[in-house]
Amino acid sequence: MAIPAIQVARLGKYILTQTLKGNKHYPLVLMLEPLFQCNLRCKGCGKIGHPPEIMNKRLSVQECIDAVEECGAPIVSIPGGEPLLHPDMPKIVEELIKRKKFVYLCTNGLLVPQRIHEFTPSPYLTFNLHLDGQKEIHDKIVCKDGVFDNSVSVIKMLKSKGFRVVTNTTLFGGQTAENAAEFFDFLMDLKIDGMTLSAAFSYEAAADQDSFLTRDQSVKLFREIFKLGKGKNWDFSHSSFYLDFLAGNQNYKCSPWGNPSRSVLGWQRPCYLLEDGFVSSYKELMEQTDWDKFGVGNDPRCANCMVHCGFEPTAVADSVKRPLKGAMLALKGVDVG
C-alpha cells in the first residue's frame, strides 16, 4: 500500500484510541477548503457555480489552524478550488506540519512551477495531483488543452525535488477498463508515491450530470480494472478493504463524519458532496446532524455513491478490526473472480 509507515502507525494508534474510548463518530481526514476559486472550470465540478462574493472568499491562516485543532483529525486534505491560488497556502501548510498533521495538498498543477520554491519536502506533506485519465480524457474533463502535459511535467519536477506525490483520479462514464489500466501503468512509470481513485458521484451542484456512473456500473468497471491489474503492483493510496468495496465484495455503510468538510461557508452538513446547510462549529456538526438520515438506503441522493470520502473511513475502521483479512487482501489482491 502506498501510504507511509509513519502515517499507517499514527492512524492505527488514533483509531484504536477512539475505539477504546467508545467513540463511534470520529474524523479521519479533515477536508479543508480555504477557497472555492479555481483556474479551471472542470465539467464535473460543483464549486465553480457559486456567486462572486463566495468565490472571492478566503479562510485565513488562523481560521485554518482553528478548524484543524477543533476537528482533531490526523490527516488534512486541502482541496478547493485551487489551493495554490491562496496567497497564504505555504504558511497554512507549514503551521499544520508543525502540528504533526499529514497534509495532502490537492492541485491541478498549473501553479506549482511558480510556487514550489515556497514549500519544503516533508514526510508530512504530499502533493496530490488531479489526473482523470490519459491526455485526451483528462483535458476534455478539465475543459482545457495542455493541462495533462503540464501535470506530468509537474510530477517529474516535484519528485526531482524530493516531494511526495500522489495522483487523484475520478472515473466518469465512458471510461473503459483498458484505458484506465493503461493510465495506471503510465502513472506508476512516473514513480509516483501512490494513486487515489473514485467513481464520479452525481452530486446536485455539478454542472455536467450526464457523465456519472451508477453503482452497478462503478462495480463492473472497477472489477474489470482490478482484473487487468493483477500482478502489476499498482500502488493505491487506499486501504485494501476500500478497494475490495469498489469491486463489490464488501457491503459497507457510509461514514460521512469520517471526512468532515470545513470551507469558506462553514462546516458542511452532512458531507463533502451533499449540501444540507452549514454550521459554525465542528461540535455543532457532530452533535446536531442526524447521521442516520444519510447514506445508501436512507437518502436517494446517496444511492450511487461509492466515493472514498464516505466509504474509506468505514473500510479503514474495518481493517483495524480484521487485520488478518486485511493481510490476506494485501497478499492476494482483490477477488474479481
Side-chain angles (χ1 to χ4, degrees):
M1 303 304 294
I3 302 173
I6 185 175
Q7 184 175 325
V8 172
R10 288 268 303 279
L11 192 59
K13 180 181 179 181
Y14 171 80
I15 294 173
L16 182 59
T17 300
Q18 297 297 325
T19 302
L20 292 175
K21 289 181 178 179
N23 293 339
K24 179 181 178 182
H25 298 155
Y26 56 87
L28 292 182
V29 180
L30 169 61
M31 308 287 281
L32 180 65
E33 296 179 284
L35 78 172
F36 289 155
Q37 186 182 6
C38 192
N39 47 5
L40 289 175
R41 296 187 65 85
C42 304
K43 66 179 184 177
C45 180
K47 306 297 182 181
I48 57 177
H50 288 291
E53 60 268 24
I54 299 299
M55 297 299 288
N56 292 328
K57 280 190 173 184
R58 304 283 189 274
L59 291 181
S60 68
V61 174
Q62 191 59 52
E63 286 176 317
C64 291
I65 293 171
D66 291 345
V68 169
E69 294 187 339
E70 183 181 4
C71 173
I75 302 170
V76 181
S77 177
I78 307 180
E82 168 53 52
L84 292 180
L85 284 169
H86 196 303
D88 295 323
M89 187 50 58
K91 183 63 175 178
I92 293 170
V93 170
E94 178 186 353
E95 290 297 326
L96 301 190
I97 289 176
K98 283 182 182 178
R99 290 159 175 79
K100 304 297 184 183
K101 301 296 182 181
F102 295 97
V103 179
Y104 284 75
L105 184 58
C106 306
T107 176
N108 56 41
L110 294 177
L111 293 175
V112 170
Q114 296 98 298
R115 303 210 64 182
I116 187 58
H117 66 280
E118 300 177 72
F119 298 88
T120 303
S122 165
Y124 289 95
L125 173 61
T126 299
F127 278 85
N128 189 346
L129 269 290
H130 169 215
L131 277 174
D132 284 337
Q134 294 281 31
K135 181 175 181 177
E136 181 180 351
I137 293 174
H138 182 70
D139 285 356
K140 182 178 180 181
I141 289 173
V142 302
C143 303
K144 185 172 183 176
D145 293 336
V147 177
F148 177 86
D149 288 340
N150 178 80
S151 295
V152 172
S153 297
V154 163
I155 289 172
K156 293 177 180 178
M157 180 183 67
L158 287 168
K159 290 299 298 179
S160 71
K161 293 180 179 295
F163 289 94
R164 290 195 75 253
V165 181
V166 300
T167 54
N168 179 23
T169 300
T170 301
L171 301 181
F172 291 85
Q175 177 71 275
T176 68
E178 290 75 17
N179 283 342
E182 181 182 341
F183 177 55
F184 293 151
D185 287 340
F186 172 80
L187 290 179
M188 295 311 300
D189 287 342
L190 292 177
K191 308 301 182 183
I192 60 173
D193 297 288
M195 302 181 292
T196 302
L197 73 161
S198 188
F201 171 60
S202 56
Y203 57 109
E204 296 173 314
D208 179 10
Q209 293 291 322
D210 299 324
S211 300
F212 296 107
L213 298 167
T214 66
R215 178 172 275 229
D216 288 343
Q217 289 172 330
S218 294
V219 169
K220 182 176 184 295
L221 177 59
F222 283 117
R223 289 184 71 85
E224 291 173 352
I225 291 172
F226 294 152
K227 187 176 294 186
L228 292 173
K230 284 291 185 181
K232 289 193 173 185
N233 294 320
W234 291 337
D235 285 336
F236 291 110
S237 297
H238 294 292
S239 69
S240 54
F241 282 78
Y242 177 68
L243 300 178
D244 208 39
F245 164 74
L246 291 178
N249 298 326
Q250 302 288 341
N251 186 26
Y252 286 139
K253 291 184 178 181
C254 173
S255 298
W257 55 83
N259 280 265
S261 174
R262 170 66 163 100
S263 73
V264 295
L265 297 177
W267 293 90
Q268 185 171 331
R269 184 158 51 190
C271 73
Y272 180 63
L273 296 171
L274 295 183
E275 295 189 3
D276 278 23
F278 296 83
V279 294
S280 60
S281 71
Y282 175 73
K283 186 175 187 293
E284 185 178 355
L285 171 71
M286 298 303 290
E287 294 181 356
Q288 297 185 22
T289 301
D290 185 358
W291 300 109
D292 293 334
K293 287 174 52 180
F294 306 101
V296 178
N298 297 322
D299 189 322
R301 296 173 298 175
C302 304
N304 291 310
C305 183
M306 300 185 78
V307 180
H308 56 85
C309 64
F311 292 96
E312 182 80 83
T314 311
V316 169
D318 192 25
S319 68
V320 173
K321 295 176 183 176
R322 298 194 290 165
L324 183 58
K325 171 69 174 178
M328 294 300 293
L329 276 173
L331 181 64
K332 295 184 177 181
V334 174
D335 182 10
V336 291

